[in-house]
Amino acid sequence: MDIRHFIGIDVSKNTLDWAVYANKGIIWQIQSENSP
C-alpha cells in the first residue's frame, strides 16, 4: 500500500491551520478561526 496524501492540522489558541500534503508538497492549505 502506498500512502500518497497526509492531512495536517495545527491547533493554536486563535486559529486552526489545515493542510494536505502529497509527494510533491502542499496541495491544499486553509486557516480557520478556533471557536466553538
Side-chain angles (χ1 to χ4, degrees):
M1 175 192 297
D2 290 335
I3 298 174
R4 298 184 182 162
H5 293 88
F6 296 93
I7 299 172
I9 303 170
D10 181 27
V11 180
S12 69
K13 184 177 180 180
N14 296 319
T15 62
L16 301 173
D17 297 310
W18 310 77
V20 178
Y21 298 88
N23 294 334
K24 296 180 181 181
I26 297 173
I27 59 173
W28 183 76
Q29 181 176 351
I30 193 167
Q31 187 178 68
S32 61
E33 183 180 343
N34 187 2
S35 64

